[in-house]
Amino acid sequence: MLPELKPFLLYCTLINYVVLLVWFAAFTLAHGFVYRLHSRWFALSVEQFDAIHYGGMAVYKIGVLLFNLVPLLALCMLS
């Protein structure tokens, strides 16, 4: 069962990092559009909007590291 988890965790890690990179690219390249879209629903300043997105990206990255990459590295060290 453990050898089957290694490819799964590897693909999960890669997919999650692609999601993180797309989020970062959309945030940096289309900042104005994304801000206007969200400001229709929420009364946010640009600083609050930026802080929420940077915080969200940080939490997401920590989650990927904690739940995907660390177990993958542990399995690689066991084998």
Side-chain angles (χ1 to χ4, degrees), residues 33-65:
F33 171 74
V34 176
Y35 175 72
R36 283 191 307 274
L37 181 69
H38 285 96
S39 64
R40 291 181 189 172
W41 301 312
F42 308 105
L44 295 171
S45 68
V46 175
E47 292 80 16
Q48 289 173 323
F49 177 76
D50 291 347
I52 289 169
H53 275 276
Y54 282 128
M57 284 187 257
V59 169
Y60 191 84
K61 184 165 58 170
I62 290 170
V64 172
L65 288 171

Side-chain angles (χ1 to χ4, degrees), residues 12-79:
C12 285
T13 303
L14 293 175
I15 290 169
N16 280 306
Y17 269 109
V18 167
V19 168
L20 188 62
L21 288 172
V22 168
W23 185 1
F24 179 75
F27 180 71
T28 56
L29 299 176
H31 184 269
F33 171 74
V34 176
Y35 175 72
R36 283 191 307 274
L37 181 69
H38 285 96
S39 64
R40 291 181 189 172
W41 301 312
F42 308 105
L44 295 171
S45 68
V46 175
E47 292 80 16
Q48 289 173 323
F49 177 76
D50 291 347
I52 289 169
H53 275 276
Y54 282 128
M57 284 187 257
V59 169
Y60 191 84
K61 184 165 58 170
I62 290 170
V64 172
L65 288 171
L66 184 64
F67 295 116
N68 294 158
L69 190 59
V70 170
L72 175 63
L73 293 175
L75 287 175
C76 287
M77 289 191 310
L78 285 176
S79 59

